[in-house]
Amino acid sequence: MQSGFRLSGLYLALLLLTTTGCRTSAALMEPSSASVETLKQQQLLEAAARWEGTPHRWGGLDHRGIDCSGLVVRIYQEVFGITLPRTTEAQARLGRPVALSELEAGDLVFFRLDPKNRHVGVYLGEGRFVHAASSTGVTRSRLDEPYWQRHYWMARRVLSSEPQTTTTPTQTPSIGW
């Protein structure tokens, strides 16, 4: 499957059984993109629930404390089996830009909190994202909340069936760190 992430064999089998019934065709070989997107969103929601409430800690990478880019690293490892760079700056150079109106579950959403500080979260779908906020720890927020609307910077799609998953230096967005 060229979906950019790994599916558990059991999850895939259950998905195929529940979405295809007794049909025997090529549809059994490859689930629809809508069902894969739903499964991806469900896996992200489960990962977000496991991390929710973890306190914020600069440089942290575990349930004792984690920062925003560390949470992105851990969620991508857990859900997709992909190791991302550790810093928000490096994560902001991954994948390709995606319009706010075209976000999909798993996209990275970035915010400029002030001239020096950037923040990142993982889009969960339906206008929600999970992130590690310095004030509340790991939480889910909505992109349409005034604070996040005011500080929204960009989104990047790391998961893709396209061969290129990182940008070249000439395509790197203006970071401004």
Side-chain angles (χ1 to χ4, degrees):
M1 185 169 12
Q2 297 291 327
S3 61
F5 62 97
R6 298 182 311 191
L7 296 174
S8 153
L10 178 59
Y11 277 98
L12 183 57
L14 289 173
L15 178 66
L16 290 174
L17 288 173
T18 59
T19 60
T20 61
C22 294
R23 288 181 282 157
T24 55
S25 68
L28 288 175
M29 303 296 283
E30 188 83 23
S32 72
S33 61
S35 61
V36 169
E37 186 63 26
T38 301
L39 181 57
K40 177 173 60 170
Q41 184 176 20
Q42 183 60 39
Q43 290 174 323
L44 284 166
L45 289 169
E46 290 169 6
R50 285 190 299 273
W51 283 98
E52 204 156 9
T54 301
H56 182 273
R57 184 178 60 151
W58 292 109
L61 272 174
D62 58 33
H63 287 280
R64 292 173 296 166
I66 197 161
D67 63 17
C68 65
S69 60
L71 179 66
V72 169
V73 166
R74 292 298 303 270
I75 286 178
Y76 261 72
Q77 285 173 338
E78 291 173 15
V79 176
F80 306 117
I82 297 171
T83 301
L84 296 184
R86 178 61 181 86
T87 66
T88 304
E89 179 180 8
Q91 291 170 0
R93 292 186 174 102
L94 295 174
R96 65 177 178 84
V98 61
L100 186 60
S101 62
E102 307 216 351
L103 286 173
E104 293 178 4
D107 288 342
L108 303 183
V109 288
F110 294 89
F111 305 88
R112 286 184 171 150
L113 303 181
D114 61 45
K116 292 184 179 183
N117 291 307
R118 304 295 183 262
H119 186 66
V120 63
V122 178
Y123 187 69
L124 299 171
E126 300 171 7
R128 298 171 296 159
F129 67 103
V130 63
H131 60 112
S134 59
S135 59
T136 60
V138 177
T139 189
R140 295 179 213 192
S141 296
R142 295 197 51 83
L143 287 171
D144 60 4
E145 292 173 16
Y147 179 84
W148 297 114
Q149 282 182 329
R150 186 169 55 252
H151 294 288
Y152 180 80
W153 175 28
M154 68 172 175
R156 307 284 295 180
R157 181 155 302 147
V158 176
L159 302 172
S160 176
S161 57
E162 298 171 14
Q164 181 181 6
T165 58
T166 58
T167 58
T168 60
T170 58
Q171 296 171 314
T172 302
S174 173
I175 303 296
W177 268 276

